[in-house]
């Protein structure tokens, strides 16, 4: 069996997500001819091992994409906006893990287990959804198909790795400072580019990304808009409260979902257990439910605490956990790349 | 002005809440004649300073309450069940900070800012609600009075101090183990008396107290039942998801509330700002919202992120934070004791 090999670029190769992308391309034995690792000028020159061979990270420029067939972007929205069109011009298909193109009507927003059929509709760019959205829609898709969804109310418990490696470093440093009784110095979180900083060690910060005019943060509005787009139903009412907590890897979510039709609880559990990429961990008697530390390093979405709402007959409560850097980012992107590769063969 | 002085007992004097109760009795200059500090036999003999005088903690027995007029219990439900009736027999009014009598129809369940009128209906015992319930109802009461409440969906972010001083010690130990790359040993959480233990350091555990037959934990059902009882309306639909996170002091709550009547957002903020014991901290532009580390050590309930629900016209989302050992436990109990003292004068 012959297999086409691709010239692949990873933009943001030294970032938290980029590292995971590179690791997954190796682990999945992605059909690569040439691998080009790109970053900002600051990180250019960094050496990264891939399949036993040292690669030097280069500065990403418009000309970096000559000959590239698949480009995975995770270097922030501004970089994607600036460079993805050049990658497309050079003939690459871009899988963009930023907010830059997600709500563009011409850009498919894809979670393979949910709407892989949309992937072929791209004009050169396929958007990878926000981490907190991906795990939620992967878990809810089988319920939508079977019962319909009228409403979602989600509160998140998000890991600091979602804010990058510097945020991880900051939390670990702050935690040591707090344990040692030293003054805790906030430096990056909640939002690196904003003036006010808050301690994340032993705290919960109800702000992820900037506030919008309606009082919701951008992270919350991403969950609202992306959920509707991916599930393909603008009539679903979605509200989100996004909160950063002192966890390194793994986002947890408390999700209330209102179905359009009456459901059987056992059938709901069965649908979740059988859903692709989703693992049911729901055994209260034995105190088994999804935990961030268990999900870390795994590609799946874990769902538990599945129970009937106490107020609404068609309401359902779930606890959804996944590694925000894997299914929430790198793994979802590499899954899309694998579909693209098959399509381009 | 003459003031009657009372013989006061604190049961559970060496526990996390008991310590705060003793501190508040001193700080508030509570009118005390004799202070009796009681505990299990294990902690008996402990020395505790009160108003510059050393007190020795005694083992709590049925006869400990002779001559006691006000007894504050926070040594666990079993202790309250066993000893509060004896305290009542000896003529004491008990303020019980456990689950033992909260849902007893003859026992008032009191948050002074919400239903102090119930306090006089006691038969010797007044129940202090669960920490996570107190802060929520204190914030929601002005909205109930003005608009009516039809529904509440709450997800909590609860501090480990709610599980006692040993749980705090465990979290700090685990955190050091994790930072040092050592094996993390779970020992107490999520529930000391249950066999399965989970790591709390850098994790989120969706279990507080034991699971009930309906798939909810006892902590969640406390929030459901106590909220209805305190707000005096069984028709309010309440659902809760209670989660332990790596925070030492201060419970945070993401609360969705559906009002019975249309509301103006500015009026809601005004009502919250003017509510007794409640502080509005809601300035998104300047990144100001309630934080657990800011609430720690303070008696108030802090409310922010006040915003209109994106789906339901009468829906509202709030972020409610308070020190779980103070307003959530000791301070609410001492507030009740102060009312009792005035009544008994």
């Amino acid at each position: 069996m012959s297999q086409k090999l691709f010239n692949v670029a990873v933009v943001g190769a030294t970032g938290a997500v980029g590292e995971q992308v590179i690791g997954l391309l190796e682990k999945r034995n992605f059909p690569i001819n040439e691998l080009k690792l790109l970053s900002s000028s600051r990180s250019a020159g960094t050496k990264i091992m891939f399949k036993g061979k040292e690669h030097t990270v280069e500065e990403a420029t418009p000309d970096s994409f000559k000959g590239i067939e698949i480009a995975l972007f995770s270097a922030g929205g501004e970089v994607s906006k600036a460079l993805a069109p050049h990658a497309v011009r050079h003939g690459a298909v871009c899988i963009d893990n930023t907010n830059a193109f997600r709500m563009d009507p011409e850009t498919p927003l894809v979670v393979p287990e949910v709407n892989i059929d949309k992937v072929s509709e791209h004009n050169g760019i396929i958007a990878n959804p926000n981490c907190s959205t991906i795990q939620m829609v992967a878990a809810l898709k089988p319920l939508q198909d079977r019962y319909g969804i009228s409403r979602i109310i989600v509160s998140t418990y998000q890991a600091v790795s979602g804010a990058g490696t510097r945020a991880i470093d900051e939390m670990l440093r702050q935690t040591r400072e707090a344990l040692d009784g030293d003054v805790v110095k906030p430096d990056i979180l909640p939002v690196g580019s904003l003036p006010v900083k808050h301690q994340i060690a032993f705290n919960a910060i109800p702000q992820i990304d900037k506030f919008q005019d309606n009082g919701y943060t951008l992270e919350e509005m991403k969950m609202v808009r992306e959920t509707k787009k991916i599930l393909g139903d603008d009539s679903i009412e979605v509200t989100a409260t996004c909160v950063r907590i002192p966890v390194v890897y793994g986002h947890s979510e408390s999700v209330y979902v209102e179905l359009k039709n009456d459901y059987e609880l056992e059938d709901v559990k069965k649908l979740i257990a059988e859903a692709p990429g989703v693992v049911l961990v729901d055994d209260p008697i034995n105190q088994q439910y999804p935990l961030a530390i268990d999900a870390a390093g795994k590609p799946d979405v874990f769902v538990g605490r599945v129970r009937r709402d106490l107020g609404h007959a068609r309401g359902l409560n779930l606890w959804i956990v996944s590694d925000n850097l894997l299914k929430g980012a790198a793994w979802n992107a590499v899954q899309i790349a694998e579909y693209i590769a098959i399509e381009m063969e």
Side-chain angles (χ1 to χ4, degrees), chain A:
Chain A
M1 195 183 90
S2 78
Q3 191 183 32
K4 178 171 160 45
L5 299 179
F6 297 89
N7 296 332
V8 175
V10 176
V11 187
T14 59
V17 175
E19 272 179 30
Q20 298 288 337
V21 167
I22 295 163
L24 283 167
L25 291 174
E26 176 162 343
K27 193 174 163 191
R28 298 284 299 178
N29 203 21
F30 195 85
I32 291 177
N33 177 47
E34 189 206 332
L35 178 67
K36 203 164 199 176
L37 302 182
L38 301 169
S39 74
S40 65
S41 61
R42 202 185 53 204
S43 300
T46 305
K47 310 287 185 189
I48 291 177
M49 294 297 291
F50 182 78
K51 293 196 171 177
K53 202 184 138 198
E54 192 177 82
H55 287 61
T56 303
V57 178
E58 299 170 35
E59 182 182 352
T61 69
D63 291 333
S64 301
F65 301 93
K66 272 180 194 158
I68 293 297
E69 294 165 283
I70 297 174
L72 296 116
F73 281 78
S74 54
E78 292 311 310
V79 173
S80 292
K81 275 184 203 161
L83 294 180
H86 291 287
V88 173
R89 179 171 56 84
H90 285 296
V93 176
C94 299
I95 301 161
D96 182 31
N97 191 41
T98 78
N99 194 39
F101 303 100
R102 285 178 189 154
M103 294 313 296
D104 172 11
E106 311 233 315
T107 302
L109 185 64
V110 175
V111 178
E113 293 84 353
V114 179
N115 63 344
I116 191 61
D117 54 302
K118 298 287 178 196
V119 84
S120 56
E121 296 174 9
H122 72 80
N123 292 322
I125 301 174
I126 299 155
N128 210 43
N130 187 41
C131 46
S132 44
T133 313
I134 292 177
Q135 64 186 68
M136 186 169 79
V137 296
L140 296 186
K141 174 64 174 169
L143 306 184
Q144 184 195 26
D145 287 347
R146 174 69 174 265
Y147 297 107
I149 291 174
S150 54
R151 189 168 193 199
I152 298 166
I153 298 173
V154 53
S155 296
T156 70
Y157 303 68
Q158 295 184 232
V160 293
S161 55
T165 47
R166 288 177 63 219
I168 299 176
D169 294 343
E170 169 176 55
M171 182 184 70
L172 299 179
R173 173 182 55 72
Q174 285 185 357
T175 304
R176 279 196 191 279
E177 288 167 350
L179 286 175
D180 295 344
D182 295 337
V183 176
V184 174
K185 291 174 284 294
D187 182 33
I188 296 166
L189 290 172
V191 184
S193 61
L194 292 182
V196 179
K197 308 299 178 185
H198 296 299
Q199 174 181 331
I200 181 61
F202 304 117
N203 201 13
I205 305 178
Q207 177 180 13
I208 299 182
D209 219 322
K210 297 177 185 176
F211 280 99
Q212 312 295 291
D213 289 342
N214 64 356
Y216 287 79
T217 61
L218 182 55
E219 181 83 357
E220 289 161 355
M221 292 313 296
K222 285 178 186 175
M223 289 197 80
V224 171
R225 295 181 192 127
E226 293 178 17
T227 297
K228 294 175 189 221
K229 179 168 176 175
I230 300 165
L231 293 179
D233 183 354
D234 266 346
S235 75
I236 302 175
E237 292 174 353
V238 187
T239 278
T241 301
C242 290
V243 181
R244 190 80 71 189
I245 64 166
V247 166
V248 186
Y249 303 108
H251 287 354
S252 304
E253 297 175 344
S254 170
V255 178
Y256 166 80
V257 55
E258 215 163 275
L259 302 177
K260 284 186 177 164
N261 293 287
D262 292 340
Y263 69 84
E264 293 295 329
L265 192 61
E266 288 311 309
D267 185 52
V268 162
K269 290 184 188 175
K270 190 164 169 283
L271 290 168
I272 291 170
E274 291 170 354
V278 179
V279 178
L280 181 72
V281 182
D282 194 18
D283 182 3
I285 299 304
N286 293 305
Q287 299 175 259
Q288 297 305 304
Y289 29 70
L291 293 172
I293 54 161
D294 294 339
K298 302 203 179 86
D300 309 290
V301 174
F302 300 89
V303 182
R305 302 289 332 266
V306 182
R307 61 208 197 278
R308 207 168 262 290
D309 187 70
L310 297 169
H312 196 290
R314 297 191 309 278
L316 184 70
N317 290 291
L318 308 167
W319 178 251
I320 303 172
V321 180
S322 193
D323 188 322
N324 51 301
L325 296 186
L326 291 179
K327 184 58 186 168
W331 171 228
N332 198 74
V334 171
Q335 277 182 302
I336 295 171
E338 291 184 348
Y339 280 97
I340 292 294
I342 291 168
E343 222 175 43
M344 289 166 80
E345 234 185 36

